[in-house]
């Protein structure tokens, strides 16, 4: 297994729309395993392939405290969403350290395939409903901060770009022998 590099907002690759998976093979199984390992190490509760610069419709989710209930959703689609909405403070591995309220349907039914291509449906509520909708947004090229006001979004973008520049300078100093 391998840890994958998680793209950080505002990387433009996060806005690519993922293509459906057509080959259910060892490569897909390895991608799902690598994504799961990356998500657990981050640590997170969900990861979309888009976030690791693979633009295919694959999501891994495990919302348990014990990290022992991994679900892989391949080609997921929401087939039903409740009219009832809920606001949940969301965070994202691609937007580290930022959390804000996003309103979404409180319950959804998702149809997907597993890594072998077998179809399944899952009814989701609470944190799982939030997580699956959040990750499916990634597959459509949307990051949760896009639900926020333009002012908040710009502040977040500027903060993350500033952090990235500081990290780059620090890495350059280390590479130059600590000068």
């Amino acid at each position: 297994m391998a840890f994958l590099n998680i793209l950080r907002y505002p990387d433009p690759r996060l806005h690519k729309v993922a293509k459906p998976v057509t080959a259910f093979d060892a490569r897909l199984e390895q991608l799902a395993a690598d994504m799961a390992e990356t998500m657990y190490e981050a640590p997170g509760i969900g990861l979309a392939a888009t976030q690791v610069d693979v633009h295919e419709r694959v999501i891994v989710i495990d919302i348990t405290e014990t990290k022992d209930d991994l679900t892989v959703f391949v080609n997921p689609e929401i087939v039903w969403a409740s009219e009832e909405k809920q606001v949940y403070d969301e965070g994202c591995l691609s937007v580290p350290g930022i959390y804000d309220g996003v309103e979404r349907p409180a319950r959804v039914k998702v149809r997907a395939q597993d890594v072998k291509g077998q179809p399944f449906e899952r009814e989701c509520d609470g944190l799982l409903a939030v997580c699956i909708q959040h990750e499916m947004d990634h597959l459509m090229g949307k990051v949760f901060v896009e639900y926020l006001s333009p002012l908040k979004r710009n502040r977040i973008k500027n903060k993350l770009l500033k952090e990235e520049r500081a990290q780059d300078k620090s890495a350059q100093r280390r590479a130059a022998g600590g000068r």
Side-chain angles (χ1 to χ4, degrees):
M1 290 197 213
F3 291 114
L4 305 172
N5 182 45
I6 298 173
L7 301 176
R8 284 178 55 130
Y9 180 80
D11 191 308
R13 295 172 290 180
L14 288 169
H15 298 293
K16 282 185 167 180
V17 176
K19 304 233 181 309
V21 170
T22 56
F24 294 83
D25 54 13
R27 184 201 62 82
L28 177 64
E29 289 182 30
Q30 187 63 55
L31 172 63
D34 291 346
M35 286 174 60
E37 186 176 6
T38 301
M39 174 190 72
Y40 288 132
E41 182 66 24
I45 60 170
L47 187 67
T50 300
Q51 292 177 271
V52 294
D53 202 20
V54 175
H55 303 283
E56 298 177 47
R57 296 185 59 77
V58 180
I59 293 169
V60 294
I61 292 178
D62 185 347
I63 62 168
T64 64
E65 294 281 329
T66 52
K67 304 299 178 205
D68 61 359
D69 190 25
L70 180 71
T71 303
V72 179
F73 296 84
V74 180
N75 298 326
E77 60 180 311
I78 294 176
V79 295
W80 175 84
S82 67
E83 288 185 26
E84 177 192 354
K85 306 279 187 198
Q86 68 180 8
V87 175
Y88 205 94
D89 259 359
E90 295 186 25
C92 181
L93 296 176
S94 292
V95 191
I98 305 295
Y99 299 87
D100 213 318
V102 176
E103 183 179 66
R104 299 183 184 274
R107 295 181 317 284
V108 294
K109 182 187 279 189
V110 178
R111 181 179 301 138
Q113 293 165 283
D114 65 18
V115 293
K116 301 287 189 191
Q118 294 302 307
F120 67 94
E121 285 190 359
R122 186 142 176 205
E123 291 192 24
C124 309
D125 61 7
L127 181 57
L128 182 57
V130 171
C131 191
I132 191 71
Q133 292 173 83
H134 174 110
E135 301 307 334
M136 286 180 69
D137 276 351
H138 279 299
L139 299 180
M140 297 307 297
K142 189 170 187 174
V143 180
F144 91 95
V145 296
E146 293 171 45
Y147 287 98
L148 309 178
S149 72
L151 178 64
K152 277 187 179 180
R153 201 168 42 247
N154 275 335
R155 284 184 178 159
I156 291 166
K157 181 179 178 179
N158 291 334
K159 177 181 190 234
L160 293 176
L161 287 172
K162 185 177 178 181
E163 287 174 5
E164 190 175 314
R165 283 192 299 273
Q167 288 173 351
D168 289 348
K169 283 181 184 176
S170 178
Q172 287 171 352
R173 280 195 299 276
R174 283 193 305 277
R179 288 180 263 164

